[in-house]
Amino acid sequence: MSIFTAPVLNYSLLAPILIVLAGAVLGVMIEAFASKAIRPVAQLSLTLGTLILAIAQVWRIRHQSSLTAAMGSVAIDGAAILMQGAVLVIAILGVLLIADQEQFTVLAAAVPGSEEERESLESGQKLTEVYPLTLFAVAGMLVFPVSNDLISLFVALEMLSLPLYLMAGLSRRRRLLSQEAALKYFLLGAFSSAFFLFGAAYLYGYSGSVSLAGIRDSVVGGSGNDVFFLIGIAFLSIGLLFKVGAVPFHAWTPDVYQGAPTPVTAFMAAATKVAAFGAMLRIFYTAFANAYWDWRPLMTVIAIITMLFGSFVAIAQRDIKRMLAYSSIAHAGFLLAGVIALNKAGLDASIFYLFAYGIATVGAFAIVTLVRDSTGEVTDLKRWAGLGKRSPFAASLFATFLLAFAGIPLTSGFIGKFSIFSAAYESGNKAIVVVGVLSSAIAAYFYIRVIVLMFFTDPADDGTSVVIPSMLTRITVIAAFIITIFLGVFPAPLLNFITSLAYFIR
Amino acid sequence: MNAANYLYVSALLFTIGAIGVVVRRNAIVVFMCVELMLNAANLAFVTFARINGNLEGQVVAFFTMVVAACEVVVGLAIIVTIYRSRRSASVDDASLLKR
């Protein structure tokens, strides 16, 4: 009989993840036992409290690092701390948007247009399941970038995806569209995680170990069957590239961004990108670093196609959410340039870029939730004409976020793009820098076109207006605006902080 | 028996699943094909555990089963909701977002 040894866990280092999971479980309990009247307030305060507590824990452990926090399954190091912090900050801003319950249906199971749905809406109840779902997704996003073996990578990938599939289908208006987005997101997401798992199986076959360190040892030692390695790296990358929305695995992005309730889109677009790129950076910088000759050429091609495709197709979009979706594809291309750079500067730049881009994305989608007419949100770009004349404040904030996406100086986007491209240049990859700058110029065209449309076109009289935002939405927008400008004008404190912390332990 | 044969079976199952996802139109069948792909990966893991002579691959297979079960819960919920709204589970009917 073999002896079972209990695993040793370092609870102090795992605190952020455990707190978020505990908050999510408590949220399910509230959902089951609390009365309907107190649920919205209880859930919102529990969710925000959990996230703030988790941030405090991340701050507390910022200088620590350990490979043995959970028996080698997770690696807590500077880069992990930064990624977790970014996810949590974005999640707090996202939850403040999700708290605007106007966006969500009350009874997700009710058939659209049915008597049941009408009654549930008239009862004035709120949908509160979305808070625990958000916390479960956040927990997955905290585990994904710190995972140090293939098992926790796969489990974290599913843990962050499954709640998001459900959240995409919860929109109150245009419910068929929303359900369709959920179906597409789910089927394509499950398809890509099957690829991820199959790749993981072949990497295990190649190295005989599921840990990233074991795979790295095999790569360095050159032992093992190279065919297994190539199959493994290709299929694993497909799964990761799908999550970040890189061409040719981007097909879900515009549909899901458009169909999902806008607060969910804001949270998902920003936080998933941080988590997925966090995991990608760890895998490629540690496990696959020494085999860069095998993956760098193809990844360079994918990055170039992604940047160009995202920028060109965004020009043709007539829907603001779809336009932002294609712009997120282009940004995935810029971030891939940071992954390919494979140097310390690339890591620092990617983390800064992820944070800056995530905050600006939440802010931009927050403004989209405010532009409404009598039937709900207005996402048709034509009807945004003249918005700057009617509501100059909201339109100027939106213009700031667009300028940050375009990478105009004095916004966070400029510092992000500049540091990513200089890291790519440093690594000797000039093609990607040239294409990156070119596609930034193309992208600037459609961002500035929206600004021109808002400020220099006469408004059409069709009932489109900016609603007075709730206190929570206002906090999100203002915070996102301040961070975007601050990082553009005084990037040094955050850049230095990232440079001092960003490293991967092996 | 040569362990490599199991890898061929696994690759074959994965391919059948992937082709099924691409060509079948019913959401339930598409989803079943995804499950087939997950099981193909499981078979590969177990085979590699045998080839490498350690247990890690078998442990992964258990994790995959649990995750696949969770995926069924979420997936069927989404597919049933969409079926109730449209009286159809065809992925071709769900095309409002393209327009």
Side-chain angles (χ1 to χ4, degrees):
Chain A
M1 210 175 112
S2 63
I3 298 159
F4 177 77
T5 41
V8 183
L9 297 181
N10 185 338
Y11 292 105
S12 158
L13 289 179
L14 298 175
I17 300 166
L18 295 177
I19 286 172
V20 172
L21 279 173
V25 173
L26 271 180
V28 175
M29 290 294 148
I30 290 181
E31 207 52 39
F33 295 114
S35 78
K36 280 182 178 153
I38 62 162
R39 268 189 226 160
V41 179
Q43 290 281 27
L44 178 62
S45 35
L46 171 75
T47 310
L48 284 179
T50 306
L51 291 173
I52 289 168
L53 199 58
I55 283 206
Q57 294 298 319
V58 167
W59 180 255
R60 182 179 57 81
I61 59 173
R62 67 190 183 280
H63 290 305
Q64 301 184 37
S65 68
S66 163
L67 272 176
T68 53
M71 306 293 283
S73 283
V74 301
I76 305 289
D77 51 26
I81 302 286
L82 290 168
M83 245 87 85
Q84 289 191 332
V87 166
L88 287 169
V89 171
I90 289 166
I92 287 179
L93 295 181
V95 166
L96 293 177
L97 283 184
I98 289 171
D100 176 16
Q101 293 282 329
E102 274 297 290
Q103 302 280 339
F104 294 98
T105 181
V106 176
L107 198 59
V111 175
S114 68
E115 190 68 12
E116 205 184 356
E117 185 191 30
R118 208 170 48 78
E119 274 171 21
S120 69
L121 283 176
E122 280 169 2
S123 71
Q125 288 165 12
K126 303 273 168 63
L127 178 111
T128 43
E129 296 96 307
V130 70
Y131 294 109
L133 285 175
T134 311
L135 280 183
F136 277 120
V138 170
M141 289 163 182
L142 294 185
V143 180
F144 202 36
V146 305
S147 302
N148 206 27
D149 68 19
L150 298 170
I151 302 179
S152 34
L153 269 174
F154 179 64
V155 173
L157 175 70
E158 292 293 315
M159 198 154 92
L160 79 89
S161 305
L162 291 177
L164 287 176
Y165 300 150
L166 291 173
M167 286 159 75
L170 292 179
S171 180
R172 173 175 297 191
R173 301 184 181 81
R174 287 182 283 187
R175 284 192 60 201
L176 283 181
L177 236 68
S178 175
Q179 291 180 352
E180 188 179 314
L183 180 74
K184 284 183 176 166
Y185 195 16
F186 168 72
L187 286 178
L188 288 173
F191 190 47
S192 78
S193 31
F195 274 91
F196 183 90
L197 190 70
F198 198 70
Y202 272 80
L203 285 176
Y204 168 64
Y206 165 73
S207 69
S209 159
V210 290
S211 73
L212 294 186
I215 296 168
R216 181 186 163 82
D217 288 344
S218 294
V219 171
V220 173
S223 61
N225 186 333
D226 278 342
V227 177
F228 288 175
F229 179 66
L230 293 178
I231 294 177
I233 201 170
F235 281 57
L236 196 84
S237 307
I238 290 178
L240 288 169
L241 289 171
F242 174 90
K243 273 291 152 217
V244 303
V247 178
F249 314 105
H250 65 283
W252 61 278
T253 319
D255 288 356
V256 175
Y257 277 36
Q258 189 190 356
T262 311
V264 172
T265 311
F267 167 66
M268 176 193 74
T272 315
K273 228 168 214 139
V274 178
F277 267 108
M280 202 168 187
L281 285 165
R282 180 176 300 279
I283 295 170
F284 281 90
Y285 274 58
T286 61
F288 299 161
N290 286 63
Y292 69 89
W293 192 237
D294 287 330
W295 54 266
R296 207 184 231 173
L298 196 57
M299 289 294 268
T300 308
V301 172
I302 288 178
I304 287 176
I305 299 175
T306 305
M307 288 189 272
L308 288 176
F309 181 88
S311 307
F312 271 117
V313 179
I315 296 177
Q317 298 307 312
R318 290 186 304 255
D319 183 286
I320 189 80
K321 281 166 89 178
R322 279 184 97 81
M323 193 204 86
L324 289 175
Y326 280 104
S327 114
S328 93
I329 295 175
H331 284 280
F334 299 137
L335 279 158
L336 277 177
V339 176
I340 296 163
L342 206 62
N343 51 22
K344 172 81 169 94
L347 177 62
D348 298 348
S350 302
I351 293 175
F352 182 88
Y353 197 107
L354 280 169
F355 185 69
Y357 170 75
I359 297 288
T361 303
V362 176
F365 279 109
I367 302 276
V368 174
T369 64
L370 298 178
V371 182
R372 296 184 198 170
D373 64 4
S374 54
T375 58
E377 272 171 29
V378 174
T379 55
D380 188 352
L381 258 182
K382 256 185 270 160
R383 297 182 56 190
W384 279 53
L387 210 65
K389 293 186 179 158
R390 250 181 279 163
S391 338
F393 187 59
S396 334
L397 290 182
F398 193 69
T400 313
F401 296 131
L402 289 180
L403 291 176
F405 288 149
I408 304 294
L410 295 185
T411 61
S412 58
F414 172 73
I415 310 290
K417 277 207 172 111
F418 180 78
S419 45
I420 281 241
F421 290 145
S422 54
Y425 185 81
E426 202 181 295
S427 77
N429 206 336
K430 300 204 174 58
I432 221 164
V433 178
V434 172
V435 177
V437 172
L438 274 179
S439 56
S440 297
I442 299 165
Y445 165 71
F446 64 79
Y447 294 128
I448 288 169
R449 202 186 52 171
V450 174
I451 296 175
V452 169
L453 186 78
M454 286 195 301
F455 285 96
F456 304 108
T457 319
D458 286 327
D461 204 20
D462 55 3
T464 310
S465 67
V466 174
V467 295
I468 307 293
S470 72
M471 192 42 126
L472 298 174
T473 308
R474 201 173 297 172
I475 294 174
T476 310
V477 174
I478 302 285
F481 174 75
I482 291 173
I483 295 175
T484 303
I485 294 294
F486 184 81
L487 291 185
V489 182
F490 302 109
L494 184 67
L495 276 176
N496 290 338
F497 184 63
I498 290 176
T499 310
S500 69
L501 276 188
Y503 59 91
F504 288 120
I505 52 170
R506 294 174 176 134
Chain B
M1 196 173 153
N2 188 359
N5 290 339
Y6 292 98
L7 288 182
Y8 295 133
V9 175
S10 139
L12 189 66
L13 284 178
F14 189 84
T15 317
I16 293 173
I19 292 175
V21 171
V22 177
V23 302
R24 294 304 292 264
R25 298 278 69 112
N26 185 308
I28 304 255
V29 179
V30 170
F31 184 40
M32 279 161 59
C33 290
V34 170
E35 294 293 309
L36 190 64
M37 292 165 74
L38 288 178
N39 282 316
N42 257 353
L43 182 58
F45 262 115
V46 174
T47 311
F48 282 129
R50 174 86 182 182
I51 294 175
N52 292 329
N54 60 27
L55 284 178
E56 285 173 353
Q58 300 190 18
V59 175
V60 181
F62 281 111
F63 273 92
T64 312
M65 281 181 221
V66 176
V67 168
C70 302
E71 223 170 60
V72 170
V73 174
V74 170
L76 285 187
I78 292 173
I79 295 173
V80 166
T81 333
I82 216 160
Y83 178 76
R84 275 158 47 108
S85 331
R86 295 171 188 275
R87 295 278 135 211
S88 144
S90 164
V91 287
D92 282 348
D93 289 350
S95 58
L96 291 169
L97 283 163
K98 284 279 176 232
R99 284 170 217 155

